[in-house]
Amino acid sequence: MKILVTAKRVEDPESKIKVKPDGSDIVKEGLKYKINPFDEIGVEEALRLVAKHGGEVVVVSIGGKEVQEQLRHALAMGATRAVWVNHTGALDQMGVAGLLQKVTEKEKPDLVVLGKQSIDDDQNQVGQYLAEYLGWGQATFASKVESLESEQEKSKSPALVLGADGKSVRVVREVDNGLATIECTLPAVVTTDLRLNMPRYASLPGIMKAKSKPIEELTPQKLGVDVTPKVQVLKMAAPPARKAGIRVPDVATLVDKLRNEAKAL
Amino acid sequence: MSIVLIVAEQQPDGHLRKATLNAVGAGKQLADKAGAELHLVLLSKDPSKVTEELKGLGAKVVHTAAAPEFEHYLAETYAPAIAELAKSLNASFVGAASTAQGKDLLPRVAARLQAAMATDVLGFGGSGADIVFNRPMWAGNVFAEVKLTTPVKVFTLRATEFPAAAGGQGAAEVKTFSPKVEGGKTKFVDFKEVKSARPELTEARVVVSGGRGTKGDFKEIEALADELNAAVGASRAVCDAGWVPNDLQIGQTGKVVAPQLYIAAGISGAIQHLAGMKSSKTIVAINKDPEAPIFQVADYGLVDDLFKILPALREAVHKAK
């Protein structure tokens, strides 16, 4: 089977995000960048599916030249080849989904796997937009029932289960108060939640190999997509600051403060 | 007059989801600002169970559609029906609570309506046609003002930021509609309710969280949580170590919580964790290390061993009951 996975470039979740004084953007200096953690889970799941059923994993990222780092990371994990949509400047979820639609129509994968959201804009929308644009079924927030320490996890088998005929995929979804299981006819769009798997580390031979794997370059113009943003971020601000707290000497004082001052108990 | 259409959500047990009341509360705020009428919509196998309740929430019209295909929620069957109604009403805004269903459904509705969307809205600014949406980015490290430039604007909202609509506010007109049921590529298989004696993390009033300082021993965390009827959370480090399941993870890559009271025990306060909990109303930090960054966001800090403090705290809470 052929799986298309996304690898968005985002700020490292361990970075301290600060807003510029004029509220136009965040301060980019000194930040480290990574593959979106939810996308990394998607790459891992795609690799496991292909290890079990054969086929290839194609990774796609949209952005300036720097997103090749994230593509190389996915290639080092084991993806077969990469598609880079070269675009600098603002982009919203409709633009991203429009570009991914064209790449999908070009690649004709059986499955598109994306992180459920990216940890910069936290929109949680692109997979759903893409499924609707393509007219495909969608399974968002794919999760796994077993805990991370299960034998299944150790054996690195996929959590997404293909139907016996290979024409559908069964997905356990993490929803409010429980787990919903649905089955989607292929091709389909799946978005990954935190509990789906634990992404592998890229091995040294993997990293060496990734250097010679092909990256195809496309542009919004080549794909014929108008990416003028329909979502405009007018202003950014730091969240309201917390008042400086106090140290309490003991449990009795803490309980008293929680009860009478904070009214939290 | 333009219309704000709020999507109501029925739970598998037939009841209205509580977050829907907050969504209706938000819909009222938006309708006031935009000078619009508030309408609600519910798709269900049997809408009659909650129609009465929906009627009294202060909306102008409640639209319901009944079909056997709506028994189990699927984006593929719900999205076309909601979009069809929104189109026929010429609705300017379509919104829902940021529940798992809201987050799954609304982007698909938006795509169908060629509408831009804002997720997890915290509030509305502007007025008339120039409504702006306030929403968090970078897991709440940034608050952004966002403008959607498409004619139809779609959003999900964070329920805890809006007042719940109260019942008994007159009777809305009820209109039934019969959308063409689409779908067929996705099939519902089953739903397993995760039954826990403890409340769900993102809905709990109190959360007790453990970090590396627990060394993987969560007994005292759980005991205090049970005493407080609280949910149990954890930092990424302890989830990564495999000490507790990943679904307890609070942080930028885990769950974002904002309870009334957050008790962090043995948690140093890495940025990734703070992003997931710093909107909590009151934060208590218990840590042996006086330099731990968690103390910078805590309202009350106690520098001591959690294995000594947690049992004492549990005892004190129990006695005070």
Side-chain angles (χ1 to χ4, degrees):
Chain A
M1 72 185 310
K2 184 169 171 178
I3 306 174
L4 184 69
V5 292
T6 51
K8 186 178 181 181
R9 178 180 174 88
V10 297
E11 289 74 21
D12 185 330
E14 302 296 335
S15 313
K16 191 163 175 68
I17 303 293
K18 275 194 219 148
V19 179
K20 282 185 183 170
D22 68 0
S24 62
D25 202 349
I26 58 164
V27 178
K28 299 273 171 77
E29 284 78 32
L31 290 180
K32 280 190 202 151
Y33 287 83
K34 278 198 161 172
I35 178 173
N36 176 38
F38 292 101
D39 284 353
E40 194 175 22
I41 290 170
V43 174
E44 175 65 37
E45 197 62 23
L47 292 171
R48 292 185 190 188
L49 277 164
V50 161
K52 190 168 175 192
H53 302 283
E56 64 167 342
V57 175
V58 181
V59 59
V60 55
S61 192
I62 304 166
K65 204 171 179 209
E66 62 281 2
V67 305
Q68 292 191 24
E69 269 178 52
Q70 281 61 52
L71 291 172
R72 293 282 176 212
H73 175 84
L75 292 171
M77 285 172 74
T80 317
R81 57 193 179 81
V83 174
W84 164 38
V85 182
N86 186 352
H87 174 76
T88 47
L91 203 56
D92 65 14
Q93 67 275 24
M94 295 176 88
V96 172
L99 293 170
L100 291 178
Q101 180 193 359
K102 295 294 174 189
V103 173
T104 305
E105 286 166 358
K106 200 167 164 291
E107 292 287 339
K108 300 184 175 61
D110 302 289
L111 201 59
V112 181
V113 182
L114 314 86
K116 70 164 181 178
Q117 72 190 69
S118 52
I119 62 157
D120 47 7
D121 60 14
D122 286 332
Q123 286 272 36
N124 195 329
Q125 296 173 13
V126 170
Q128 295 91 311
Y129 266 89
L130 178 62
E132 175 62 34
Y133 284 178
L134 291 165
W136 292 6
Q138 74 183 44
T140 56
F141 323 144
S143 183
K144 184 143 103 176
V145 186
E146 292 82 4
S147 88
L148 277 181
E149 291 306 290
S150 70
E151 287 307 311
Q152 200 183 357
E153 170 69 28
K154 284 173 190 158
S155 71
K156 297 281 179 203
S157 70
L160 297 182
V161 180
L162 278 193
D165 56 0
K167 288 183 177 144
S168 65
V169 65
R170 188 174 272 234
V171 181
V172 177
R173 305 179 56 236
E174 193 165 329
V175 298
D176 303 323
N177 313 327
L179 296 163
T181 304
I182 61 174
E183 218 166 72
C184 282
T185 306
L186 297 179
V189 172
V190 171
T191 78
T192 57
D193 213 326
L194 189 68
R195 278 205 288 165
L196 189 64
N197 61 45
M198 181 75 101
R200 70 194 65 187
Y201 288 103
S203 66
L204 188 58
I207 293 167
M208 299 308 290
K209 248 197 208 160
K211 290 184 178 168
S212 58
K213 287 182 180 174
I215 296 181
E216 182 189 356
E217 185 183 340
L218 295 168
T219 60
Q221 291 73 27
K222 268 189 214 166
L223 291 167
V225 182
D226 175 12
V227 294
T228 313
K230 311 287 193 301
V231 178
Q232 295 171 354
V233 178
L234 303 179
K235 204 179 140 202
M236 291 186 189
R242 298 192 70 89
K243 271 188 275 167
I246 55 161
R247 301 281 167 109
V248 290
D250 52 42
V251 168
T253 317
L254 177 62
V255 171
D256 176 64
K257 294 274 183 199
L258 285 178
R259 183 165 297 270
N260 299 313
E261 196 175 84
K263 315 251 182 247
L265 279 182
Chain B
M1 198 179 208
S2 66
I3 287 173
V4 174
L5 181 65
I6 297 290
V7 182
E9 183 179 340
Q10 213 173 1
Q11 296 186 139
D13 67 5
H15 288 96
L16 206 58
R17 192 171 279 286
K18 267 192 204 147
T20 290
L21 301 179
N22 304 89
V24 175
K28 269 183 198 157
Q29 284 186 12
L30 177 58
D32 284 348
K33 278 190 188 288
E37 249 173 32
L38 179 63
H39 290 210
L40 312 180
V41 55
L42 178 80
L43 306 180
S44 172
K45 186 185 170 194
D46 178 12
S48 68
K49 287 181 181 167
V50 292
T51 305
E52 274 308 309
E53 191 179 353
L54 287 172
K55 261 168 77 177
L57 297 178
K60 180 100 168 71
V61 185
V62 174
H63 303 268
T64 64
E69 290 88 347
F70 296 148
E71 180 176 8
H72 301 293
Y73 161 79
L74 287 173
E76 209 191 321
T77 47
Y78 273 47
I82 305 272
E84 190 185 316
L85 175 69
K87 261 188 206 158
S88 72
L89 293 173
N90 203 12
S92 308
F93 299 92
V94 183
S98 288
T99 55
Q101 177 179 313
K103 287 183 165 182
D104 184 58
L105 173 64
L106 272 286
R108 191 144 185 158
V109 172
R112 206 162 176 103
L113 294 170
Q114 292 169 314
M117 180 178 165
T119 298
D120 255 347
V121 168
L122 309 170
F124 309 101
S127 64
D130 292 317
I131 292 289
V132 294
F133 299 86
N134 300 316
R135 61 173 305 269
M137 296 171 79
W138 287 277
N141 280 307
V142 174
F143 283 7
E145 258 183 40
V146 176
K147 191 176 170 187
L148 307 178
T149 63
T150 49
V152 187
K153 300 161 188 15
V154 176
F155 62 96
T156 60
L157 55 100
R158 190 175 285 182
T160 49
E161 299 292 323
F162 295 93
Q169 299 182 61
E173 183 187 350
V174 177
K175 287 186 178 171
T176 56
F177 69 112
S178 310
K180 188 170 144 242
V181 179
E182 292 185 30
K185 296 190 181 98
T186 323
K187 207 169 75 188
F188 172 84
V189 179
D190 73 2
F191 173 69
K192 282 200 188 75
E193 195 179 350
V194 175
K195 283 206 165 80
S196 166
R198 298 195 188 99
E200 212 263 319
L201 254 180
T202 53
E203 290 170 0
R205 212 188 71 87
V206 183
V207 173
V208 184
S209 265
R212 218 188 282 272
T214 62
K215 299 184 174 67
D217 179 0
F218 261 56
K219 275 194 212 80
E220 288 302 335
I221 302 276
E222 286 167 358
L224 178 61
D226 290 341
E227 187 63 48
L228 290 166
N229 188 27
V232 169
S235 67
R236 180 172 178 168
V238 303
C239 295
D240 281 356
W243 291 341
V244 298
N246 231 340
D247 57 334
L248 298 189
Q249 193 194 121
I250 289 168
Q252 186 163 21
T253 58
K255 287 177 175 148
V256 176
V257 300
Q260 293 290 312
L261 174 60
Y262 188 90
I263 301 176
I267 290 180
S268 66
I271 286 161
Q272 127 83 27
H273 184 77
L274 298 184
M277 48 63 79
K278 67 179 186 181
S279 300
S280 306
K281 192 142 186 291
T282 301
I283 297 173
V284 172
I286 299 158
N287 202 304
K288 274 197 288 198
D289 172 13
E291 305 299 326
I294 188 86
F295 287 120
Q296 289 163 22
V297 301
D299 300 283
Y300 305 108
L302 223 172
V303 181
D304 209 332
D305 183 2
L306 69 99
F307 289 103
K308 197 179 106 193
I309 297 304
L310 292 185
L313 184 54
R314 173 162 49 94
E315 182 107 11
V317 170
H318 186 78
K319 267 190 198 149
K321 266 186 182 171

